[in-house]
Amino acid sequence: MDDRFLVDRVFTVIVVVIAIIAILPIFHIIAYITWRGLPIVIDNGLSFFTDVPAAVVAEKPGGIAPALAGTAFMTITATLIAVPLATLAAIFSVEYPNHVLTKAVRVTSRSLLEVATILIGMLIFVLLVLPTGRFTALAGSLALAIVMIPYVYTYAELALISVPKTYIEAAYALGMKRAQVIFYVTVRVARRGLARGIAIAVTKAMGETAPLLFTAFGARSVIFGGPFEPADALPLMVFQFIQTGYDNWRALAWGGAFTLLVLYLLLFIIARILVKEVRY
Amino acid sequence: MVSPAVETRELRVRISGRDILKGVNLRVPEGAITAIMGPSGSGKTTFLKVLNRLIELIDGVEVSGEVRVFGSNIFDMDVYTVRRMFGMVFQNPNPFPHMSIYDNVAIGARINRVARSREELDRIVRWALEKAMLWDEVKNRLRDPPWRLSGGQQQRLCLARALAMKPRILLLDEPTANIDPVNTAKLEEALRALRRDEGMTILLVTHMPHQAVRVSDYIVMFYDGMVVEEGPTSEIALNPANEITRRFLRGEM
């Protein structure tokens, strides 16, 4: 009779242990990056964020300003391109679920999620960088936008589909036109899900290295040269500097990784505070 | 019978190849409460949703026959104009969850441009909430979200939302099916007052015979997609001619 309590105990322990093992890597990453990166940020103070990287022979590492500026520019412009496009596409698929275009968009979006992002970088390289003959921040923005679109679309579609039909019916019964129903009811009830998708897509774009290798390329000597000049980005800088043998550049890479981590957390906290959950 | 607000001729509805309404001929009198009774699946809700053409939101719906509202064929009219003539309250309370109590009522008036100024909008919101017998309970918390209200209050909020668009006819689809007796009584009282004071034409779908008898002037009995009996409530309640109506009133269905 006591066997079932014993079995229950054993399974509870097993499940808890497995759960801990599953989330351990995340805590390991966070802890290790903080341990290596935080002291560097503290040692260099504000200049860590405002200076360009120092020369390899210098004693001080300098700062990550070019990477910070490039990431800010490319993430914001990519978001401005991707979010309206993907959200409108999601609205279209939810409103016309059986349309040929909807099926095409779904298949394309799902495949795009699986495509290695370096291929997206190569696409922009062929379409934009080769014809214009230069690496530009804008090319990086475009590549990141393509990375973001399927994420925003997938989450937006899910959020919009989950809006209870009874609210949509009530809206039509009030005499609202389709666009009014979408604008006044559907999108607003789904706002938390939409925001979640955008936040995930933005962090994805902020953390991508591969699509920038052949598009934005990287820049170390100027903070930001404008949209038509090469630009640096946090993950790109981390990727390139951590492979060098220079201690001061490796220090910049760890500090940059830590900065990226903090930006992620900030983004999710801000999204949670700004966009309130709709209670039914 | 008084002049009809709604008149249907040979109204048939098929949804995905299934016959839901099988030739409904009905005259709904103006300025009265008409109860549509019938067991589940008899086509009552479908009938309501044909009237404001909400049925067209469903895929694979075929409607044939004629529906006239105050003399005009609704299928010749703009669909939004048709919907604005009707206010509708649904079976489950569905106030918009992202809007305040005030905005839930105001949205109907805004969409239909009933109000021209802020003051007028305030007046309409108050009028609608008073008519729905909710004003006293919410007047100090108009900015609250609707989930703070009880289910019965939410349903009266939905009634107020429908009233704020100044409809000519009110459609209610089993509005008290999921509501406690006290709130049911309040909603019924609101409906009686609307008919008495505003001369509102009201169509109330219900599967509760007692409710039909309590509030309505006329009763229409639906069964299997057809009208099996109709007439003044006093006659039908006391002396139903049809065996199905008799069994339904006795609660045997």
Side-chain angles (χ1 to χ4, degrees):
Chain A
M1 192 230 145
D2 278 332
D3 273 6
R4 53 203 182 99
F5 291 107
L6 187 69
V7 170
D8 183 60
R9 270 279 172 80
V10 169
F11 271 90
T12 307
V13 169
I14 291 175
V15 167
V16 168
V17 167
I18 290 175
I20 290 172
I21 291 172
I23 56 177
L24 212 56
I26 294 181
F27 287 106
H28 178 252
I29 290 171
I30 293 175
Y32 193 68
I33 290 177
T34 308
W35 177 58
R36 297 290 302 259
L38 185 61
I40 291 159
V41 176
I42 292 173
D43 285 350
N44 292 281
L46 201 61
S47 71
F48 183 77
F49 302 107
T50 54
D51 283 0
V52 298
V56 288
V57 291
E59 243 168 63
K60 283 261 170 188
I64 59 164
L68 217 48
T71 286
F73 174 82
M74 287 189 283
T75 308
I76 290 169
T77 44
T79 305
L80 290 178
I81 298 166
V83 168
L85 265 177
T87 309
L88 288 174
I91 290 172
F92 183 88
S93 345
V94 174
E95 290 292 316
Y96 303 93
N98 300 317
H99 200 280
V100 190
L101 261 179
T102 296
K103 285 169 187 155
V105 167
R106 275 198 194 127
V107 170
T108 319
S109 159
R110 223 161 279 158
S111 339
L112 211 49
L113 274 178
E114 306 296 332
V115 167
T117 51
I118 194 156
L119 294 180
I120 292 169
M122 288 174 83
L123 176 79
I124 299 297
F125 178 75
V126 171
L127 290 182
L128 199 71
V129 175
L130 279 184
T132 56
R134 62 195 309 160
F135 297 109
T136 59
L138 218 50
S141 306
L142 276 179
L144 291 184
I146 297 176
V147 172
M148 288 177 75
I149 284 172
Y151 286 93
V152 178
Y153 172 83
T154 307
Y155 279 90
E157 193 191 22
L158 191 71
L160 294 171
I161 272 181
S162 325
V163 173
K165 292 285 163 286
T166 175
Y167 300 129
I168 291 163
E169 246 190 339
Y172 277 112
L174 288 175
M176 284 193 204
K177 302 196 161 129
R178 189 192 283 264
Q180 289 176 314
V181 175
I182 293 167
F183 180 75
Y184 286 118
V185 180
T186 319
V187 166
R188 297 190 191 209
V189 174
R191 63 190 174 198
R192 197 61 183 269
L194 295 174
R196 192 175 297 133
I198 293 169
I200 285 170
V202 169
T203 52
K204 184 83 190 155
M206 271 180 10
E208 277 292 341
T209 314
L212 301 178
L213 289 172
F214 311 127
T215 53
F217 188 69
R220 284 157 204 176
S221 48
V222 283
I223 291 181
F224 186 64
F228 304 109
E229 293 294 327
D232 208 357
L234 278 172
L236 199 57
M237 186 274 288
V238 171
F239 172 71
Q240 287 165 347
F241 279 11
I242 204 74
Q243 301 179 71
T244 65
Y246 313 116
D247 282 344
N248 56 349
W249 278 13
R250 292 167 66 107
L252 282 185
W254 282 112
F258 176 71
T259 310
L260 202 54
L261 201 66
V262 172
L263 284 177
Y264 281 170
L265 291 178
L266 277 181
L267 191 76
F268 274 101
I269 292 168
I270 290 171
R272 267 196 100 79
I273 293 171
L274 282 188
V275 187
K276 292 246 173 345
E277 184 93 68
V278 173
R279 276 179 69 165
Y280 303 143
Chain B
M1 207 180 238
V2 208
S3 72
V6 177
E7 190 172 7
T8 69
R9 285 202 197 105
E10 280 305 303
L11 178 62
R12 290 168 195 279
V13 175
R14 283 167 74 87
I15 300 178
S16 311
R18 247 185 80 223
D19 291 307
I20 308 293
L21 294 182
K22 304 170 179 173
V24 173
N25 294 290
L26 196 63
R27 288 154 65 91
V28 176
E30 188 177 352
I33 300 181
T34 303
I36 298 180
M37 290 192 321
S40 326
S42 56
K44 311 181 298 279
T45 300
T46 304
F47 180 73
L48 275 203
K49 287 185 176 172
V50 171
L51 299 186
N52 65 354
R53 294 181 62 180
L54 212 56
I55 196 86
E56 290 165 27
L57 295 180
I58 305 171
D59 285 333
V61 173
E62 301 160 59
V63 180
S64 66
E66 209 177 279
V67 178
R68 290 187 174 275
V69 175
F70 298 111
S72 329
N73 187 341
I74 60 165
F75 300 112
D76 293 339
M77 295 165 72
D78 170 54
V79 64
Y80 302 106
T81 314
V82 174
R83 288 186 187 148
R84 285 165 196 190
M85 293 197 301
F86 293 93
M88 188 158 190
V89 178
F90 296 81
Q91 185 169 353
N92 291 307
N94 56 359
F96 297 126
H98 57 299
M99 292 182 192
S100 67
I101 293 171
Y102 180 94
D103 286 336
N104 257 288
V105 183
I107 184 96
R110 280 205 189 108
I111 292 295
N112 297 294
R113 298 199 178 77
V114 177
R116 275 180 300 275
S117 68
R118 181 76 214 198
E119 291 71 36
E120 212 180 334
L121 190 62
D122 283 347
R123 248 195 330 276
I124 289 172
V125 169
R126 179 173 181 162
W127 171 85
L129 283 168
E130 279 174 352
K131 288 292 163 192
M133 307 231 160
L134 189 60
W135 174 254
D136 288 333
E137 291 157 60
V138 300
K139 63 183 171 194
N140 295 322
R141 45 177 178 146
L142 291 171
R143 292 287 154 210
D144 273 9
W147 53 261
R148 293 247 171 92
L149 301 176
S150 74
Q153 289 174 321
Q154 287 186 23
Q155 194 61 302
R156 277 178 283 141
L157 179 59
C158 293
L159 175 62
R161 176 177 67 188
L163 290 172
M165 58 195 276
K166 299 276 173 121
R168 298 191 63 183
I169 301 175
L170 207 52
L171 308 174
L172 299 104
D173 183 10
E174 301 193 24
T176 60
N178 299 310
I179 285 174
D180 64 87
V182 173
N183 274 296
T184 299
K186 277 189 184 162
L187 193 86
E188 288 176 0
E189 177 53 32
L191 295 182
R192 274 192 294 260
L194 276 166
R195 173 193 167 284
R196 186 180 63 230
D197 305 335
E198 307 287 324
M200 184 75 79
T201 305
I202 298 172
L203 264 158
L204 170 71
V205 162
T206 177
H207 63 237
M208 291 179 276
H210 298 297
Q211 184 168 55
V213 173
R214 274 199 304 269
V215 293
S216 69
D217 304 296
Y218 296 91
I219 284 180
V220 178
M221 178 71 199
F222 266 64
Y223 187 73
D224 194 25
M226 285 178 288
V227 173
V228 293
E229 187 170 6
E230 57 175 309
T233 302
S234 50
E235 283 175 26
I236 290 194
L238 289 176
N239 202 5
N242 188 290
E243 178 57 27
I244 292 169
T245 316
R246 204 172 302 148
R247 282 177 50 205
F248 188 80
L249 285 172
R250 280 203 304 261
E252 290 172 10
M253 266 173 170

